[in-house]
Amino acid sequence: MTTTSARSFSLDRLVRPAVKAIHSYVPAKGAGVPTDRVIRLDMNESPYPPSDHVRAALAAFLETNRYPAFDAGDVREALAAYAGVPVEQVVAGAGLDDVLNSLFQTFLEPGDQVIISDPTFGVYRHLASIYGAETVNVPLLAGWVLDADGVLAAVTDLTKIIIICSPNNPTGNQLDPGAIEKIVREAPCFVAIDEAYSEFAGYTHLPLVDRYPNVGVFRTMSKFAGMAGMRVGYGIYPVDVIREVNKVVPAFHNVSAASAVAVKAALEDIGTLRGNLERTIVLRDLLADNLREIPGVEPYPSETNFILIKLPVDDAGPVVAELANRGIFVRYFGADPVLKNCIRPSIGTTEENEILLNELADILASGASL
Ligand SMILES: Cc1ncc(COP(=O)(O)O)c(C=O)c1O
């Protein structure tokens, strides 16, 4: 029963204007395909299940009644050892999104500016808007090249963070490390380098964290390690910066005890992770070669676990919808004029990639609903 009072409740009055202005992200849905038969290639996940070692660790985990380590010390130790950095410089979180949230919360006040380079990961804009900050876009140049001079020219007194994603999602390419270092060296603000896909590229910007006071490197166990469901990401900061960030990081770093167990076990079994990584790279390059055989289809070079693909259509929407009807989800960029004719599938298993190829070729050849 709802009671009303003279001073009635007005949600509109209470919700922050910055929140009201946010548009929710709606993930893909397929018309009537049972969820267990859907091939999910829209979120850059790993197609591989946990190793026997991770399964055994999770099966042996019983302490659901206990809080995890207060400072997530155990999982941070494991991540620090893997990354080869001191544990004191590592912040963990419930996925990299959560780690970026604590970064933004540390720096951003309403009206501040964050510089990004579109096309890039959409969460940066979303997070900035939650804090009432303005996103300033310095687009990638032709060939998805980072415009270092443009980024530096866009810096104002209000700029708090420049965020660079390399290898970049959704374009798939690694940005020039020299251009990134120039930005770090010359920018009077914090530079966040998102390395969610660095394992696939075999390259890291971590050495910059030792050399400059204004740079952090941000990573995740979701992609190469196949732990997206466990939600564990981490950031590596210079000591002066992490002192401030730690003040806003929630207790337990938002990492559940079960997730900590799974991540530690996954890193103990690094050989399995490396095997999956190598398999994904081989399958990615094979998928790219096969895609090039479909008339008019142009895969962009990728150093990640996904491929951005230009289709011979004005708008990829109907192709994406038809793929979804056939039980294959890929990422579509809808309103974005630069990526409207593109799809971005992640690399699945051999069988999933073959189904994607065949269905895509069939849809494009039939011209059905295009
Ligand atoms: C560039 C980039 N950064 C961060 C994330 C977030 O990863 P997580 O699952 O760790 O939150 C993603 C996920 O797609 C991503 O593509």
Side-chain angles (χ1 to χ4, degrees), residues 95-97 121 124 165 169 194 196-197 220 222-223 231-232:
L96 180 46
D97 285 353
F121 186 45
Y124 310 145
C165 185
N169 177 12
D194 182 337
Y197 302 96
T220 179
S222 295
K223 310 299 180 181
R231 311 301 302 121
V232 177

Side-chain angles (χ1 to χ4, degrees), residues 43-44 94-98 100 120-121 123-124 165 167-169 194-197 219-223 227-228 231-234 306 344:
M43 291 202 185
N44 302 342
L96 180 46
D97 285 353
D98 187 42
L100 293 173
T120 193
F121 186 45
V123 164
Y124 310 145
C165 185
N168 186 43
N169 177 12
D194 182 337
E195 287 195 345
Y197 302 96
R219 293 193 171 174
T220 179
M221 293 294 285
S222 295
K223 310 299 180 181
M227 293 263 132
R231 311 301 302 121
V232 177
Y234 59 111
F306 58 83
R344 189 209 61 194

Side-chain angles (χ1 to χ4, degrees), residues 135-150:
T135 304
V136 176
N137 175 30
V138 179
L140 295 177
L141 302 171
W144 313 133
V145 169
L146 181 63
D147 181 3
D149 292 331

